[in-house]
Amino acid sequence: MPDSILPPILVELADRVIIANRRAGRTIAVAESCTGGLVSAALTEIAGSSDVFEAGFVPYSNDMKAELLKVSHDVLETFGAVSIATAWAMAQGALLNSHAHVAVAITGIAGPGGGTEQKPVGTVVFARAERGASPDKIVADMRHFDNDGRGGVRLQAALCALELLLPDSSGA
């Protein structure tokens, strides 16, 4: 593995994602909110990743989710930024704004504040969209990671997002 400031477990999984998608002839994109570009950073640690990794979007605010990825303000207001509806719209927006075959979106509450009783700190939502797939074939999941600090939640979320980018992933 290359010399990296990122945790080895993250870089090793990113390497697997790049190799597997290269073999499958697939390009990928990511839309990251709570991970703040961590998945993109891991993917670009891999030499030659540019033939697989096409784009990374980091719309942190709701306004940017709407502007950059065309997430409807109605979806954001009705379901919230941390919802399957928002994650799904973010993944679709990443496909719309790239030529990638598959996109994964991540949105969540890394903490230490910002959580609610319904969506406590550590709640993260993932969605994967594939170009040309039936719109009703939604691959999305809401998970709760043990709150081992902001960095721990973000790392766990990035690892899950990378898993969803593996071609043989059956979904979350």
Side-chain angles (χ1 to χ4, degrees):
M1 282 293 105
D3 178 36
S4 175
I5 61 169
L6 299 175
I9 189 170
L10 189 64
V11 177
E12 288 163 12
L13 184 53
D15 189 47
R16 282 183 44 219
V17 167
I18 295 296
I19 290 168
N21 280 285
R22 185 178 291 125
R23 282 190 192 130
R26 291 189 341 169
T27 55
I28 58 178
V30 295
E32 306 180 65
S33 188
C34 70
T35 49
L38 189 56
V39 177
S40 297
L43 291 166
T44 57
E45 280 293 294
I46 310 307
S49 61
S50 61
D51 60 343
V52 173
F53 179 54
E54 193 172 278
F57 302 90
V58 187
Y60 210 64
S61 73
N62 284 351
D63 284 344
M64 286 296 99
K65 287 176 181 75
E67 189 174 323
L68 295 176
L69 298 177
K70 307 303 180 216
V71 177
S72 157
H73 284 288
D74 287 343
V75 166
L76 289 164
E77 289 168 15
T78 303
F79 300 102
V82 181
S83 66
I84 286 180
T86 295
W88 175 244
M90 288 171 63
Q92 290 291 341
L95 283 183
L96 182 68
N97 288 292
S98 72
H99 301 111
H101 295 101
V102 64
V104 166
I106 312 109
T107 183
I109 306 163
T116 65
E117 194 173 310
Q118 296 79 21
K119 296 176 187 175
V121 169
T123 302
V124 182
V125 184
F126 305 89
R128 183 181 70 212
E130 296 185 36
R131 190 169 302 283
S134 173
D136 61 346
K137 183 187 170 204
I138 296 174
V139 178
D141 191 25
M142 180 179 285
R143 298 199 185 166
H144 182 78
F145 297 115
D146 290 336
N147 187 11
D148 59 352
R150 184 174 179 81
V153 170
R154 293 176 71 225
L155 176 59
Q156 291 174 79
L159 290 168
C160 281
L162 286 168
E163 288 283 347
L164 278 176
L165 286 168
L166 289 168
D168 56 359
S169 172
S170 59

